Amino acid sequence: MLIALSGYTSGYDGSFPFEKPGDKYENVNYVGMRLFCTFLGACIPPMAFLTVWEMTYSLQAAVLSSLFILCDVGILTLTQYILLDPILLFFVMGTNLGVVKVHACRNEPFSLKWWTWLVITGVMLACAVSVKFVGLFVVMLAGLRTLEELWDILGDLSKPVIYTAYHFVARALCLIVLPAILYTAFFYIHLKVLSKSGNGDGFYSSAFQSQLEGNSLHNASLPK
Protein backbone atom coordinates (compact mmCIF):
# COMPACT_ATOMS: atom_id res chain seq x y z
CA MET A 1 0.00 0.00 0.00
CA LEU A 2 2.91 2.36 0.67
CA ILE A 3 4.32 1.73 -2.80
CA ALA A 4 0.84 2.25 -4.28
CA LEU A 5 0.49 5.50 -2.31
CA SER A 6 3.85 6.78 -3.54
CA GLY A 7 2.87 5.89 -7.11
CA TYR A 8 -0.54 7.53 -6.76
CA THR A 9 0.91 10.78 -5.40
CA SER A 10 3.62 10.90 -8.09
CA GLY A 11 1.36 10.38 -11.11
CA TYR A 12 1.43 6.60 -11.70
CA ASP A 13 -1.96 5.65 -13.19
CA GLY A 14 -1.91 1.92 -12.46
CA SER A 15 -1.73 0.90 -16.13
CA PHE A 16 1.56 -1.04 -15.90
CA PRO A 17 0.89 -4.64 -14.72
CA PHE A 18 4.33 -5.40 -13.13
CA GLU A 19 3.93 -9.01 -14.27
CA LYS A 20 7.60 -10.03 -14.36
CA PRO A 21 11.04 -8.48 -13.72
CA GLY A 22 12.68 -6.97 -16.79
CA ASP A 23 9.51 -5.68 -18.46
CA LYS A 24 10.04 -2.33 -20.22
CA TYR A 25 8.35 0.60 -18.51
CA GLU A 26 7.97 2.59 -21.76
CA ASN A 27 6.11 5.79 -20.79
CA VAL A 28 5.07 4.70 -17.28
CA ASN A 29 5.69 7.20 -14.48
CA TYR A 30 7.58 4.95 -12.06
CA VAL A 31 10.16 7.43 -10.73
CA GLY A 32 8.10 8.38 -7.67
CA MET A 33 7.89 4.78 -6.48
CA ARG A 34 11.63 4.25 -6.92
CA LEU A 35 12.42 7.52 -5.15
CA PHE A 36 10.21 6.48 -2.25
CA CYS A 37 11.99 3.13 -1.81
CA THR A 38 15.39 4.79 -2.25
CA PHE A 39 14.53 7.45 0.34
CA LEU A 40 13.66 4.78 2.91
CA GLY A 41 16.91 2.98 2.05
CA ALA A 42 18.84 6.23 2.50
CA CYS A 43 17.41 6.54 6.02
CA ILE A 44 18.96 3.22 7.11
CA PRO A 45 22.63 4.36 7.57
CA PRO A 46 21.77 7.34 9.83
CA MET A 47 19.41 5.12 11.84
CA ALA A 48 22.26 2.62 12.22
CA PHE A 49 24.53 5.45 13.35
CA LEU A 50 22.04 6.57 16.03
CA THR A 51 21.43 2.99 17.18
CA VAL A 52 25.10 2.17 17.67
CA TRP A 53 25.72 5.59 19.23
CA GLU A 54 23.05 4.92 21.87
CA MET A 55 24.55 1.48 22.53
CA THR A 56 28.20 2.52 22.77
CA TYR A 57 28.50 6.35 22.86
CA SER A 58 31.51 5.77 20.61
CA LEU A 59 31.72 8.03 17.57
CA GLN A 60 34.15 5.66 15.86
CA ALA A 61 31.83 2.67 16.34
CA ALA A 62 28.77 4.61 15.15
CA VAL A 63 30.54 5.93 12.04
CA LEU A 64 32.02 2.53 11.19
CA SER A 65 28.70 0.70 11.53
CA SER A 66 26.85 3.21 9.37
CA LEU A 67 29.65 3.07 6.77
CA PHE A 68 29.34 -0.72 6.64
CA ILE A 69 25.67 -0.33 5.69
CA LEU A 70 26.27 2.65 3.40
CA CYS A 71 28.86 0.69 1.38
CA ASP A 72 26.96 -2.60 1.35
CA VAL A 73 26.37 -3.52 -2.30
CA GLY A 74 23.31 -5.61 -1.46
CA ILE A 75 21.53 -2.75 0.28
CA LEU A 76 22.57 -0.28 -2.41
CA THR A 77 21.06 -2.62 -5.02
CA LEU A 78 17.86 -3.47 -3.14
CA THR A 79 17.00 0.11 -2.25
CA GLN A 80 17.11 1.46 -5.81
CA TYR A 81 14.25 -0.73 -7.05
CA ILE A 82 10.52 -0.92 -6.36
CA LEU A 83 10.67 -3.71 -3.78
CA LEU A 84 9.36 -4.49 -0.31
CA ASP A 85 12.89 -4.98 1.05
CA PRO A 86 13.84 -1.30 1.59
CA ILE A 87 10.53 -0.73 3.37
CA LEU A 88 11.08 -3.80 5.56
CA LEU A 89 14.68 -2.81 6.35
CA PHE A 90 13.57 0.72 7.26
CA PHE A 91 10.99 -0.53 9.78
CA VAL A 92 13.39 -3.16 11.19
CA MET A 93 16.05 -0.49 11.74
CA GLY A 94 13.41 1.80 13.21
CA THR A 95 12.46 -0.92 15.69
CA ASN A 96 16.10 -1.41 16.71
CA LEU A 97 16.51 2.33 17.18
CA GLY A 98 13.33 2.49 19.26
CA VAL A 99 14.46 -0.38 21.49
CA VAL A 100 17.82 1.24 22.31
CA LYS A 101 16.19 4.65 22.78
CA VAL A 102 13.75 3.20 25.33
CA HIS A 103 16.70 1.63 27.12
CA ALA A 104 18.52 4.98 27.05
CA CYS A 105 15.53 6.53 28.86
CA ARG A 106 15.62 3.90 31.64
CA ASN A 107 16.52 6.53 34.26
CA GLU A 108 13.45 8.61 33.41
CA PRO A 109 10.68 5.98 33.09
CA PHE A 110 7.11 7.06 32.29
CA SER A 111 8.33 10.44 31.08
CA LEU A 112 6.99 11.87 27.80
CA LYS A 113 10.24 10.97 26.03
CA TRP A 114 10.10 7.40 27.36
CA TRP A 115 6.47 6.94 26.27
CA THR A 116 7.17 8.50 22.86
CA TRP A 117 9.96 6.05 22.06
CA LEU A 118 7.95 3.12 23.40
CA VAL A 119 5.03 4.02 21.10
CA ILE A 120 7.39 4.56 18.13
CA THR A 121 8.87 1.11 18.76
CA GLY A 122 5.39 -0.44 18.77
CA VAL A 123 4.44 1.30 15.52
CA MET A 124 7.68 0.17 13.86
CA LEU A 125 7.07 -3.41 15.02
CA ALA A 126 3.58 -3.41 13.52
CA CYS A 127 4.87 -2.00 10.23
CA ALA A 128 7.77 -4.47 10.01
CA VAL A 129 5.47 -7.48 10.46
CA SER A 130 2.88 -6.01 8.09
CA VAL A 131 5.43 -5.69 5.26
CA LYS A 132 6.73 -9.27 5.54
CA PHE A 133 6.54 -12.01 8.17
CA VAL A 134 10.35 -11.88 8.26
CA GLY A 135 9.63 -8.92 10.53
CA LEU A 136 8.75 -11.45 13.25
CA PHE A 137 12.48 -11.85 13.89
CA VAL A 138 12.76 -8.24 15.03
CA VAL A 139 9.66 -8.82 17.18
CA MET A 140 11.58 -11.64 18.88
CA LEU A 141 14.59 -9.38 19.34
CA ALA A 142 12.49 -6.59 20.87
CA GLY A 143 10.67 -9.14 23.04
CA LEU A 144 13.88 -10.62 24.43
CA ARG A 145 15.26 -7.16 25.12
CA THR A 146 12.04 -6.22 26.92
CA LEU A 147 12.15 -9.37 29.06
CA GLU A 148 15.74 -8.56 30.02
CA GLU A 149 14.78 -5.04 31.07
CA LEU A 150 11.79 -6.29 33.08
CA TRP A 151 14.04 -8.83 34.81
CA ASP A 152 16.50 -6.07 35.75
CA ILE A 153 13.64 -3.91 37.08
CA LEU A 154 12.27 -6.82 39.11
CA GLY A 155 15.74 -7.41 40.53
CA ASP A 156 15.93 -3.87 41.89
CA LEU A 157 14.95 -4.55 45.51
CA SER A 158 14.68 -0.82 46.25
CA LYS A 159 11.49 -0.72 44.15
CA PRO A 160 8.16 -2.40 45.07
CA VAL A 161 6.81 -5.24 42.93
CA ILE A 162 3.95 -3.02 41.74
CA TYR A 163 6.57 -0.83 40.05
CA THR A 164 7.57 -3.81 37.87
CA ALA A 165 3.88 -4.42 37.15
CA TYR A 166 3.53 -0.84 35.87
CA HIS A 167 6.48 -1.37 33.52
CA PHE A 168 5.02 -4.67 32.32
CA VAL A 169 1.61 -3.14 31.57
CA ALA A 170 3.18 -0.16 29.76
CA ARG A 171 5.26 -2.43 27.54
CA ALA A 172 2.35 -4.82 26.94
CA LEU A 173 0.17 -1.92 25.79
CA CYS A 174 2.77 -0.36 23.49
CA LEU A 175 4.59 -3.46 22.21
CA ILE A 176 1.76 -6.01 22.02
CA VAL A 177 -1.68 -4.35 22.02
CA LEU A 178 -0.77 -1.33 19.87
CA PRO A 179 1.05 -3.40 17.16
CA ALA A 180 -1.85 -5.89 17.07
CA ILE A 181 -4.39 -3.07 16.59
CA LEU A 182 -2.28 -1.44 13.86
CA TYR A 183 -1.66 -4.74 12.08
CA THR A 184 -5.41 -5.44 12.02
CA ALA A 185 -6.16 -1.89 10.88
CA PHE A 186 -3.63 -2.09 8.04
CA PHE A 187 -5.22 -5.24 6.67
CA TYR A 188 -8.75 -3.91 7.18
CA ILE A 189 -7.80 -0.95 4.96
CA HIS A 190 -6.01 -3.28 2.54
CA LEU A 191 -9.05 -5.51 2.08
CA LYS A 192 -11.33 -2.49 1.69
CA VAL A 193 -9.07 -1.04 -1.00
CA LEU A 194 -8.56 -4.43 -2.69
CA SER A 195 -11.90 -4.54 -4.54
CA LYS A 196 -10.78 -5.58 -8.04
CA SER A 197 -10.09 -9.02 -9.49
CA GLY A 198 -6.49 -9.95 -10.30
CA ASN A 199 -4.26 -12.86 -11.25
CA GLY A 200 -3.90 -13.91 -7.60
CA ASP A 201 -7.60 -14.62 -7.04
CA GLY A 202 -7.07 -18.37 -7.06
CA PHE A 203 -5.19 -18.22 -3.76
CA TYR A 204 -8.34 -17.09 -1.94
CA SER A 205 -11.62 -18.71 -0.98
CA SER A 206 -14.67 -18.60 -3.22
CA ALA A 207 -16.43 -16.41 -0.67
CA PHE A 208 -13.62 -13.84 -0.86
CA GLN A 209 -13.52 -14.00 -4.67
CA SER A 210 -17.25 -13.28 -4.82
CA GLN A 211 -16.53 -9.83 -3.35
CA LEU A 212 -14.02 -8.87 -6.07
CA GLU A 213 -15.22 -6.78 -9.01
CA GLY A 214 -14.48 -8.48 -12.32
CA ASN A 215 -14.26 -11.98 -10.85
CA SER A 216 -16.46 -14.68 -12.39
CA LEU A 217 -17.95 -15.31 -8.93
CA HIS A 218 -18.66 -11.62 -8.24
CA ASN A 219 -21.93 -11.21 -6.30
CA ALA A 220 -22.62 -14.94 -6.62
CA SER A 221 -24.69 -16.51 -3.84
CA LEU A 222 -22.41 -18.96 -2.06
CA PRO A 223 -23.20 -21.23 0.92
CA LYS A 224 -21.06 -20.56 4.01
Side-chain angles (χ1 to χ4, degrees):
M1 287 194 295
L2 288 173
I3 292 175
L5 179 62
S6 65
Y8 178 77
T9 55
S10 61
Y12 170 64
D13 60 5
S15 60
F16 190 75
F18 288 100
E19 289 181 342
K20 62 179 183 294
D23 285 347
K24 298 295 183 183
Y25 284 117
E26 302 298 342
N27 296 320
V28 176
N29 190 352
Y30 62 91
V31 176
M33 291 179 281
R34 285 187 66 167
L35 282 175
F36 172 72
C37 291
T38 302
F39 171 75
L40 293 185
C43 291
I44 296 171
M47 292 169 81
F49 178 92
L50 293 172
T51 301
V52 176
W53 171 258
E54 287 290 351
M55 294 171 67
T56 64
Y57 293 107
S58 167
L59 182 61
Q60 292 91 337
V63 169
L64 187 63
S65 61
S66 57
L67 280 175
F68 279 151
I69 292 178
L70 183 63
C71 300
D72 185 282
V73 177
I75 290 182
L76 287 172
T77 304
L78 283 174
T79 55
Q80 66 174 314
Y81 295 120
I82 305 170
L83 298 170
L84 293 177
D85 300 79
I87 305 175
L88 175 67
L89 290 170
F90 173 82
F91 290 130
V92 167
M93 286 301 300
T95 301
N96 281 318
L97 178 59
V99 167
V100 299
K101 282 287 190 180
V102 170
H103 182 71
C105 298
R106 61 190 178 279
N107 294 325
E108 42 183 333
F110 306 110
S111 63
L112 178 60
K113 183 180 178 183
W114 186 86
W115 277 110
T116 300
W117 280 111
L118 200 60
V119 169
I120 288 173
T121 305
V123 171
M124 290 291 180
L125 280 172
C127 292
V129 177
S130 297
V131 175
K132 282 186 179 182
F133 274 149
V134 178
L136 286 171
F137 286 106
V138 81
V139 173
M140 291 171 57
L141 177 64
L144 291 172
R145 184 64 179 154
T146 300
L147 288 174
E148 182 188 4
E149 289 183 353
L150 288 173
W151 182 255
D152 290 340
I153 294 168
L154 182 63
D156 186 356
L157 300 180
S158 64
K159 298 287 195 301
V161 176
I162 192 66
Y163 180 75
T164 306
Y166 289 150
H167 272 276
F168 175 80
V169 171
R171 284 166 169 78
L173 287 173
C174 293
L175 302 181
I176 298 175
V177 176
L178 176 61
I181 292 173
L182 288 175
Y183 181 86
T184 306
F186 293 153
F187 276 90
Y188 175 80
I189 296 169
H190 180 73
L191 293 173
K192 284 295 181 182
V193 172
L194 187 69
S195 58
K196 307 284 186 183
S197 177
N199 55 14
D201 290 4
F203 292 103
Y204 297 94
S205 66
S206 299
F208 183 81
Q209 292 183 49
S210 69
Q211 302 173 41
L212 300 176
E213 299 171 23
N215 190 282
S216 59
L217 297 176
H218 183 53
N219 285 335
S221 178
L222 298 170
K224 288 191 181 298

